[in-house]
Amino acid sequence: MADLERIRREIADEYAAPHNHPWVIGFSGGKDSTLVAHLVFEFLLSIPRSRRTRHVHIVSNDTLVESPLVINHLRQVAADIREAAEVFGLPMSVAITSPEPDKSFWVNLIGRGYPPPNRTFRWCTDRMKIQPTSKYIKSQASVTGQVILLLGVRRNESATRASTVARYDNGERLNRHNDLVECMVFRPIVEMSTKEVWEVLAMNDPPWGGSHGHLIKLYSDATGGECPVMTQKNEVAACGTSSSRFGCWTCTVVDKDRSLEGFVESGFAEFGPLLDLRDWIASIRNDASRRMARRRTGQVTITTDGVFVPGPFTPLARREILDRLLKTQEEVGYPLITDEELDLIRTIWAEDAIVISTAAARELVPHRF
Ligand code: SF4
């Protein structure tokens, strides 16, 4: 058993460091980051008000296409933490970031016609996960010069995670972040095993009230691993892999959406329409009749091996996806796309219509262009 008392002492020791750099906890709502938030909250409660000099930010990210049960859980816990921190007068703020509408899944898929992401064209993770959280961290760092990012990463979570974790092993408690120069990384539970994490969560109610029961139930209802808050590009390979439990419900990087599938199998039949839509989107990805010949830049791409790479979805296919999405939205009875995204899609379609008709005209009467 990793020594919990040692971890508590490390947190206390780091908090007492002689600088005022705020802490930012990357909170995904999964078990590991919940434990980090739990330990930090508990620590703040244990010290006198006069020693609570460092501000703690709890930051989560909503890609706008999160699995419904997971995002509801995350919002609830975030609200509970915020309320309890206020009641106890803790120097803590809670924020949920999200991608700019222009970078959302639907605006790129339906608006620009990007093919659904796969392992070789994973356009989503940076836009939808890394950029929003990084922006938040940078905005805090711009005020105080530096932030300490607390991550719930553990060496023993998976082979991929172990290699990411190893990159940070400099023998010190704090490690420089790979991409954010003004950010140091602190991994308080890096040596804990999965079993130990569960033991602590099961035996200790969260200091912000309630219990960890809902979190434990979430894990038992889904299958697969965890999708932590992402802040750097070298973690991208782990996003949406078959071990990812709490990823986007639209994720086509995995062959099967194990997260939603697990929920559906556990009796959440209402997520069936989401699964169907996701599977259909994956199935039309390589349908040549639904893809344009030219890329959005106007170029035709042929690889060095002579393989033709099709361009984005045709305008008709984009319309088809939007129709299916709106139908699914009606079926499930809650929003799957925002009005802002719909407005942007219309704008992009209008711009594309001009580009496409100009390109078609150019092919017909080249001398006039
Ligand atoms: S979970 Fe899948 S769709 Fe979501 S950001 Fe990761 S790779 Fe992309």
Side-chain angles (χ1 to χ4, degrees):
M1 172 89 170
D3 185 350
L4 197 57
E5 278 321 304
R6 184 189 53 76
I7 293 173
R8 288 195 169 112
R9 275 197 306 276
E10 287 223 334
I11 289 174
D13 192 48
E14 188 52 46
Y15 192 83
H19 58 73
N20 67 345
H21 303 151
W23 279 9
V24 177
I25 302 179
F27 182 65
S28 71
K31 64 183 185 314
D32 300 329
S33 57
T34 298
L35 180 56
V36 173
H38 177 132
L39 293 171
V40 170
F41 198 108
E42 204 173 63
F43 163 72
L44 286 177
L45 280 181
S46 75
I47 56 173
R49 195 175 280 258
S50 59
R51 283 181 46 215
R52 295 176 192 153
T53 49
R54 190 185 305 285
H55 198 85
V56 177
H57 300 259
I58 302 221
V59 60
S60 310
N61 185 56
D62 174 2
T63 55
L64 306 178
V65 280
E66 298 291 326
S67 290
L69 279 178
V70 175
I71 192 63
N72 289 342
H73 168 76
L74 190 143
R75 285 196 192 119
Q76 185 57 56
V77 177
D80 291 349
I81 296 177
R82 185 182 293 120
E83 205 182 309
E86 253 176 57
V87 171
F88 291 122
L90 303 182
M92 185 176 263
S93 23
V94 181
I96 301 184
T97 60
S98 51
E100 288 163 24
D102 186 47
K103 294 177 177 166
S104 80
F105 188 83
W106 298 125
V107 168
N108 282 301
L109 185 92
I110 299 175
R112 301 193 171 89
Y114 281 17
N118 64 8
R119 278 169 207 269
T120 49
F121 186 40
R122 194 192 307 243
W123 48 263
C124 44
T125 314
D126 188 41
R127 287 178 172 84
M128 289 159 44
K129 290 191 170 182
I130 297 177
Q131 288 184 23
T133 314
S134 300
K135 192 171 159 197
Y136 185 90
I137 293 171
K138 282 181 186 164
S139 75
Q140 297 310 321
S142 70
V143 180
T144 52
Q146 193 165 71
V147 300
I148 315 288
L149 176 64
L150 279 77
L151 295 177
V153 291
R154 289 179 306 105
R155 201 179 301 283
N156 140 317
E157 170 75 354
S158 69
T160 324
R161 194 71 63 220
S163 68
T164 310
V165 166
R167 285 196 197 106
Y168 276 132
D169 287 338
N170 67 350
E172 306 287 331
R173 183 190 294 148
L174 297 187
N175 299 263
R176 199 159 281 291
H177 192 280
N178 286 330
D179 298 328
L180 301 167
V181 280
E182 57 286 86
C183 178
M184 298 299 282
V185 178
F186 176 25
R187 310 160 300 166
I189 63 165
V190 68
E191 304 299 348
M192 282 184 94
S193 69
T194 303
K195 186 166 168 276
E196 289 164 349
V197 170
W198 280 128
E199 268 171 23
V200 178
L201 291 174
M203 287 162 53
N204 300 277
D205 286 338
W208 48 82
S211 84
H212 289 303
H214 189 255
L215 172 71
I216 295 168
K217 174 101 175 55
L218 261 187
Y219 273 83
S220 62
D221 284 339
T223 50
E226 189 160 341
C227 208
V229 167
M230 300 240 163
T231 61
Q232 53 181 330
K233 298 200 167 109
N234 67 21
E235 292 171 347
V236 167
C239 192
T241 59
S242 55
S243 69
S244 149
R245 171 196 307 255
F246 288 0
C248 312
W249 68 264
T250 51
C251 188
T252 47
V253 174
V254 277
D255 295 334
K256 284 262 168 208
D257 185 333
R258 293 162 57 112
S259 157
L260 269 185
E261 235 173 39
F263 290 130
V264 172
E265 278 163 16
S266 306
F268 294 95
E270 65 268 33
F271 299 137
L274 301 189
L275 250 189
D276 292 344
L277 179 63
R278 178 249 169 232
D279 286 349
W280 176 74
I281 289 173
S283 77
I284 61 166
R285 187 185 197 282
N286 297 326
D287 176 354
S289 69
R290 287 183 167 100
R291 301 278 293 269
M292 296 173 70
R294 291 173 187 274
R295 306 185 75 152
R296 293 183 60 78
T297 54
Q299 287 181 327
V300 172
T301 307
I302 299 184
T303 66
T304 43
D305 305 333
V307 179
F308 167 69
V309 181
F313 279 128
T314 61
L316 212 62
R318 295 181 220 176
R319 175 85 247 175
E320 199 185 357
I321 302 171
L322 179 61
D323 288 346
R324 288 241 192 175
L325 172 64
L326 295 178
K327 194 165 160 275
T328 307
Q329 178 169 268
E330 224 176 280
E331 239 175 292
V332 295
Y334 49 81
L336 298 176
I337 183 167
T338 64
D339 288 345
E340 210 174 352
E341 287 175 293
L342 284 169
D343 282 348
L344 259 172
I345 288 171
R346 278 186 213 106
T347 307
I348 295 169
W349 281 3
E351 286 163 4
D352 274 12
I354 297 166
V355 174
I356 290 165
S357 59
T358 309
R362 192 184 293 129
E363 272 167 28
L364 285 173
V365 278
H367 62 278
R368 291 179 59 191
F369 291 90

